[in-house]
Amino acid sequence: MSRLLVTGGAGFIGANFVHYWLRHYPHDRMVVLDALTYAGNRASLAPVERKSNFRFIHGDIRDQALVERLLKEEGIDIIVHFAAESHVDRSILGPDTFIETNVLGTHSLLKAAKKTWIDASHVPFHRFHHVSTDEVYGTLAPGAPPFCETTPYAPNSPYAASKAASDHLVRAYYHTYGLQVTTSNCSNNYGPFQFPEKLIPLILINALQGKPLPVYGDGYHVRDWLYVEDHCRGVEQVLRQGRVGETYNIGGRCEKTNLEVVQTLCSLLDEMRPRLDPRSSDLVSYVSLLTFIKDRPGHDRRYAIDPGKAMTELGYRPQESFESGLRKTLAWYLENENWWRSLLDARYEGWIEAHYGAKTTNATPSLLS
């Protein structure tokens, strides 16, 4: 039986991982540590809260004493580190929080793990798994090969820079102190429980409310999309089979422009929740709400991940296509309206209005076809 500490387990990917792991390993001990910032939602863990092998701790990863106590008290032998500030737009406006959480927070966890597992207890088998992003590699030109594990780091946003720094710290604790670590860098995730500041839930919720669907620039920024359960499966395979000290890229091999994502989402939503024009009562596509806005500073043009190493060494394979994963995602949001409506408070609405409201540009009609 494994005993896991999952940081950021009330966030989007963390909550999905908790559900995934307990579904596949129902007898393992699961402890979640989460600060419950704006993007953390304890309601996402409601289905497992009453399990005898589950424990939730409201706390900060920068609290080294707390982490050390949990590691000892619970006999933790695996840390899965999801906790992070992750929204590029917010990092542009307020980078300090990203340094404090992503860099200093990760370092605090590493210090606690080293002190508990190596300095004090000499736990022979342990694992510190660090979850990172493809954004540390920078941007790709059209036609350039996807990022691999040996691609040089070239972060272009404060968020990406903070994650790059944390990646390097994890690597250093392996090479310097012998902490048994692994790192995974993933592409853009989507799925249930995602806070509606990210592209897919933002577009979906705006569409359901008849609000503009904001797309940066010309809409041709490319991302590699990964259904969140496929990511969780990849992390599981790294934990079970990955070599200590190694990094594994986990991607979906699914490159889409932002415009393609929005158009596909609108098409599926037209099918799953048809929209009536309030003026004529005729059916009208959600894509008519698409609105192009001023591009954000330093916006990377393209990301793409080569998951070949994980496929070869671990047998990793994404199981969802973009359309099948997106269909599951939309179905979850349509069935769990109470979950996302509870997030749309005045603070959220103020952020959306301040960030997107003043940036509208004229859409190019040819892009809407």
Side-chain angles (χ1 to χ4, degrees):
M1 184 183 75
S2 296
R3 307 180 74 85
L4 294 82
L5 175 65
V6 177
T7 71
F12 164 44
I13 305 176
N16 276 282
F17 179 81
V18 168
H19 292 300
Y20 175 89
W21 194 272
L22 290 178
R23 191 163 63 247
H24 289 84
Y25 302 97
H27 301 297
D28 282 359
R29 176 68 169 167
M30 177 72 71
V31 180
V32 166
L33 175 63
D34 199 294
L36 294 179
T37 59
Y38 76 94
N41 189 346
R42 192 163 176 176
S44 301
L45 299 171
V48 299
E49 283 271 17
R50 294 187 178 182
K51 289 182 178 290
S52 61
N53 60 333
F54 176 84
R55 180 184 179 190
F56 179 84
I57 303 295
H58 183 193
D60 196 311
I61 58 172
R62 293 172 295 176
D63 187 343
Q64 184 179 337
L66 170 63
V67 175
E68 289 177 15
R69 177 171 64 79
L70 290 175
L71 295 180
K72 296 171 186 174
E73 191 174 277
E74 293 284 352
I76 300 294
D77 53 11
I78 297 173
I79 295 174
V80 189
H81 178 32
F82 290 100
E85 294 287 341
S86 66
H87 192 39
V88 173
D89 293 345
R90 290 182 186 264
S91 81
I92 293 170
L93 295 177
D96 288 4
T97 303
F98 287 73
I99 303 303
E100 291 165 5
T101 300
N102 298 354
V103 182
L104 300 181
T106 299
H107 191 220
S108 180
L109 284 174
L110 289 165
K111 289 189 291 182
K114 173 183 174 291
K115 184 174 179 179
T116 305
W117 288 341
I118 296 177
D119 298 343
S121 301
H122 301 286
V123 178
F125 301 105
H126 58 261
R127 180 67 65 87
F128 186 110
H129 182 72
H130 174 58
V131 179
S132 190
T133 173
D134 55 2
E135 297 194 37
V136 299
Y137 300 121
T139 189
L140 283 170
F147 303 128
C148 65
E149 289 79 2
T150 58
T151 300
Y153 276 30
N156 291 321
S157 70
Y159 161 61
S162 69
K163 291 299 288 184
S166 64
D167 292 5
H168 293 320
L169 282 170
V170 172
R171 173 185 168 87
Y173 266 68
Y174 167 68
H175 285 280
T176 302
Y177 305 114
L179 193 68
Q180 295 169 22
V181 309
T182 44
T183 295
S184 56
N185 295 77
C186 69
S187 53
N188 273 35
N189 279 221
Y190 65 100
F193 303 119
Q194 189 169 26
F195 188 78
E197 64 183 358
K198 300 296 179 73
L199 179 63
I200 286 176
L202 172 65
I203 294 299
L204 169 60
I205 290 171
N206 274 20
L208 292 174
Q209 297 182 104
K211 294 181 177 181
L213 311 183
V215 175
Y216 279 125
D218 61 8
Y220 284 105
H221 297 86
V222 175
R223 299 294 182 262
D224 177 11
W225 291 92
L226 177 67
Y227 186 61
V228 66
E229 186 163 312
D230 284 329
H231 183 196
C232 294
R233 185 177 300 105
V235 171
E236 174 202 13
Q237 290 173 307
V238 174
L239 287 170
R240 293 304 189 197
Q241 303 163 249
R243 290 180 290 141
V244 171
E246 291 294 313
T247 294
Y248 295 89
N249 281 352
I250 301 175
R253 284 190 167 168
C254 179
E255 292 186 52
K256 301 283 183 183
T257 66
N258 289 344
L259 192 57
E260 287 179 284
V261 170
V262 173
Q263 289 173 326
T264 303
L265 188 156
C266 289
S267 178
L268 288 175
L269 200 54
D270 287 341
E271 171 194 330
M272 299 168 74
R273 181 72 65 86
R275 174 175 176 251
L276 295 177
D277 187 324
R279 295 166 297 183
S280 65
S281 296
D282 294 331
L283 289 176
V284 59
S285 175
Y286 289 95
V287 80
S288 65
L289 298 170
L290 193 152
T291 304
F292 291 90
I293 64 173
K294 182 181 178 182
D295 210 352
R296 73 183 179 206
H299 197 175
D300 291 333
R301 195 65 174 171
R302 174 178 169 240
Y303 303 141
I305 270 190
D306 178 1
K309 179 178 176 180
M311 289 179 165
T312 300
E313 291 192 16
L314 312 177
Y316 164 75
R317 295 288 187 282
Q319 295 185 5
E320 298 293 341
S321 68
F322 182 69
E323 183 164 324
S324 69
L326 188 57
R327 186 179 290 275
K328 287 184 176 182
T329 301
L330 299 191
W332 186 88
Y333 277 87
L334 292 175
E335 292 166 7
N336 291 274
E337 188 167 335
N338 288 339
W339 182 90
W340 58 262
R341 282 204 179 275
S342 69
L343 306 176
L344 308 185
D345 57 16
R347 185 174 59 169
Y348 171 80
E349 296 290 357
W351 157 259
I352 294 299
E353 177 59 29
H355 194 72
Y356 296 109
K359 296 183 178 181
T360 301
T361 62
N362 291 323
T364 305
S366 63
L367 295 180
L368 302 180
S369 60

